[in-house]
Amino acid sequence: MSLVFYWHPMSSATPVACALAELAVSHERVKIDIRTGEQRSAAYLAINPNGKVPCLVVDGTPLFEGLAILQWLGAQHGVAQGLWPQDGTPERLQALSWTTWAYVTYAALLNRLWLATRDEALRSHEQAAAALAGVNELLDLLEARLAERPWMLGEAYSLVDLVVGSVVGYGVYFGADVEAHPQVKQWLGRLQARPAMQGEV
């Protein structure tokens, strides 16, 4: 299988880079300079019409959107390594639920928080407070889950931890109060200490 990974360091492509490292999947890596707008070039748009990173080309077929790539990597390469649950199991349903929760539900509130605090045209103390309250409610939910198990799916680390943790860790930069959620904080620390989370990502 031929894999070509289009990415930029310290971007939304980072979780995919970490997953590829965790899985030790052989791939070609092509850097797209999003600082100069290369993601909007005709050459790249022909590969990924969404005009963003990440994109993973699988045997010539582009797969874009970070969550889709991560779920595909889990199903395709993670099952054999014990890093993604097998199809037809309750754990697989949990994996799909929690990774989507992170990328859709949690990330949407982070985006609201960013707009209310960083965007001059949309800056609003009331909106920021409401978004932060929503983020804290979701962190409460994650705290309760991690109080019952060391990792998202149970006793063992999986790519679900990488996916959810990448979004939760990113939220710290916007003011998400991880410090008030000790189970989440400890879990993030264990996750971020993994070798696959280090290096040029």
Side-chain angles (χ1 to χ4, degrees):
M1 180 179 290
S2 168
L3 298 179
V4 183
F5 175 44
Y6 293 85
W7 76 304
H8 185 87
M10 302 302 292
S11 72
S12 56
T14 293
V16 176
C18 292
L20 288 165
E22 188 74 62
L23 294 165
V25 173
S26 177
H27 64 281
E28 178 186 350
R29 188 172 290 202
V30 179
K31 183 178 176 181
I32 299 296
D33 194 344
I34 61 177
R35 297 169 299 181
T36 63
E38 187 179 0
Q39 73 275 22
R40 293 293 179 185
S41 68
Y44 185 64
L45 288 173
I47 298 166
N48 179 5
N50 200 36
K52 297 179 180 180
V53 293
C55 182
L56 186 68
V57 177
V58 182
D59 288 338
T61 300
L63 174 63
F64 60 89
E65 289 294 340
L67 178 59
I69 297 170
L70 288 160
Q71 291 178 339
W72 180 85
L73 284 171
Q76 185 72 27
H77 296 280
V79 176
Q81 299 184 43
L83 292 173
W84 190 258
Q86 293 184 358
D87 195 16
T89 63
E91 290 77 16
R92 172 65 72 90
L93 299 180
Q94 290 288 292
L96 295 175
S97 295
W98 282 104
T99 54
T100 303
W101 173 87
Y103 262 70
V104 178
T105 305
Y106 195 83
L109 280 172
L110 292 182
N111 186 55
R112 279 184 58 196
L113 183 59
W114 185 88
L115 290 173
T117 56
R118 310 291 174 90
D119 189 301
E120 289 187 12
L122 298 174
R123 189 173 293 155
S124 163
H125 176 75
E126 292 78 14
Q127 288 294 321
L132 191 56
V135 167
N136 279 323
E137 286 182 7
L138 294 180
L139 285 175
D140 289 343
L141 182 66
L142 186 58
E143 179 80 4
R145 182 168 184 85
L146 292 169
E148 298 176 348
R149 53 186 64 79
W151 298 103
M152 288 299 300
L153 296 183
E155 295 300 316
Y157 165 86
S158 73
L159 289 183
V160 177
D161 297 285
L162 187 158
V163 176
V164 177
S166 294
V167 180
V168 172
Y170 183 61
V172 172
Y173 296 105
F174 295 145
D177 194 3
V178 168
E179 293 292 328
H181 299 84
Q183 299 294 337
V184 175
K185 181 181 178 181
Q186 292 172 21
W187 165 76
L188 271 181
R190 296 195 306 273
L191 171 64
Q192 292 168 351
R194 293 184 68 83
M197 303 296 283
Q198 314 303 315
E200 188 181 12
V201 293

